[in-house]
Amino acid sequence: MAPDELRARALAGEVTPVDAAGRLRIVLRAAGLLALLILCVPLHYLFRLFRLGSPWPKFFLGSVARVCGARVRTIGTPLRRDVFFVANHVSWIDILALGGASGTAFVAKAELATAPMVGWLAGLNRTVYVKRENRMGVADQINTLRNALADNWSITVFPEGTTTDNASLLPFKTPMLRVLEPPPPGVLVQPVVLFYGAVGEEIGWIGEEGGLNNARRVLSRRGSFPVEVHYLDPFDPNDVPGRKAIAAESRRRIEERLTTLLGHPPRPFAHMVEAVRYKAEPASPDA
């Protein structure tokens, strides 16, 4: 089946077929993942038992990214601690790439916690799960986030609230940035751009596609694909006080770099996303 047809069927929420070669690649990558688990998980828990800082989640996530086909390249320098990373969001591969590059923990939607394997892997790295619909529990989530930032030194949020096609940039949601009202002492904000190049739309988890189907498509894919992680200049959230101003400044910097990488401004996202109340713009009659 042609790649364009596969993407179209995936976007419509259909389970896309995997040929024999693709199934073999899934098996081989699963074997690689199992080997990494056998190596890293006992060592990680051993470090935790003795209350030592464990380097194994960072090594593990970066290695899993490579097993899945991602070839991660870091541009810029991530801060090592007391930093709130704000990133665009394309795929579940983002967590592997960012975790492997900087060792950051994450704030992620609660649905990820139940995703096969990925949820457990994210949990090893102390991911903070939040429920969009739990408006009454925002204060508890903010307290959890503050504790995570103190415990993990760095934490990453995806303020778009969903994944896109890497050629679009959705409005930034601000509830989880309340942790920066006021900012914890010494904490900086560092915007991050994830860029998958020409394969962004193929890798992206968008439309009506289910998470398991997206994982099957990525893991059965032939060859590797590039993932650039651009760490932009950090800024002091005290200089742009308030979560809306922090979100706007982060988005401005991310959009500027994404425009440079794409060679044109990000296009409007073409898919409805009810969970974040995003409505796609009607297609132009001339398009």
Side-chain angles (χ1 to χ4, degrees):
M1 184 178 295
D4 287 346
E5 185 179 352
L6 274 176
R7 285 197 294 274
R9 291 181 62 175
L11 286 171
E14 297 182 29
V15 176
T16 52
V18 177
D19 61 18
R23 289 193 292 272
L24 177 59
R25 284 189 283 271
I26 291 175
V27 169
L28 292 175
R29 283 170 171 153
L33 174 58
L34 179 60
L36 286 168
L37 285 171
I38 292 171
L39 170 67
C40 296
V41 172
L43 290 171
H44 170 65
Y45 283 119
L46 182 64
F47 271 66
R48 293 293 300 276
L49 178 64
F50 290 99
R51 299 188 178 183
L52 300 173
S54 174
W56 295 104
K58 178 180 178 180
F59 173 82
F60 179 75
L61 292 173
S63 299
V64 171
R66 189 167 186 86
V67 167
C68 291
R71 298 297 177 261
V72 180
R73 184 165 74 97
T74 300
I75 296 93
T77 303
L79 297 179
R80 296 187 62 184
R81 61 174 301 156
D82 298 326
V83 58
F84 208 79
F85 295 119
V86 178
N88 64 314
H89 201 10
V90 182
S91 165
W92 51 272
I93 294 289
D94 298 350
I95 289 177
L96 305 177
L98 285 167
S102 67
T104 181
F106 296 89
V107 179
K109 58 187 179 181
E111 294 90 333
L112 183 65
T114 60
M117 189 56 68
V118 176
W120 181 69
L121 296 179
L124 284 180
N125 205 42
R126 300 182 182 181
T127 295
V128 179
Y129 296 109
V130 296
K131 294 182 178 179
R132 296 191 188 103
E133 68 277 7
N134 187 15
R135 298 183 182 277
M136 299 302 292
V138 168
D140 289 339
Q141 292 177 359
I142 295 303
N143 288 333
T144 300
L145 194 52
R146 284 186 180 273
N147 292 336
L149 184 58
D151 190 35
N152 292 297
W153 293 354
S154 67
I155 199 160
T156 298
V157 295
F158 300 109
E160 290 171 287
T162 190
T163 47
T164 68
D165 55 10
N166 212 202
S168 306
L169 191 65
L170 294 178
F172 280 11
K173 304 297 181 181
T174 64
M176 288 302 104
L177 296 179
R178 286 179 180 168
V179 70
L180 301 175
E181 291 182 328
V187 169
L188 298 179
V189 174
Q190 187 166 23
V192 182
V193 176
L194 291 146
F195 188 64
Y196 289 69
V199 300
E201 190 166 1
E202 179 184 352
I203 299 298
W205 180 7
I206 57 179
E208 300 299 319
E209 183 176 21
L212 183 58
N213 192 76
N214 182 268
R216 288 171 63 250
R217 282 200 307 109
V218 173
L219 295 176
S220 64
R221 187 179 183 278
R222 181 180 180 182
S224 60
F225 54 91
V227 183
E228 294 181 2
V229 183
H230 295 253
Y231 289 95
L232 310 184
D233 291 338
F235 65 90
D236 189 336
N238 289 295
D239 294 339
V240 283
R243 68 182 190 273
K244 291 184 179 180
I246 293 168
E249 178 63 16
S250 299
R251 191 181 188 282
R252 182 189 68 80
R253 296 186 183 204
I254 289 171
E255 182 176 14
E256 185 178 80
R257 178 61 63 89
L258 192 56
T259 297
T260 299
L261 293 169
L262 290 169
H264 56 78
R267 67 191 182 196
F269 193 48
H271 306 279
M272 309 287 282
V273 188
E274 291 185 7
V276 296
R277 299 178 182 175
Y278 174 79
K279 292 186 177 181
E281 296 181 7
S284 169
D286 300 327

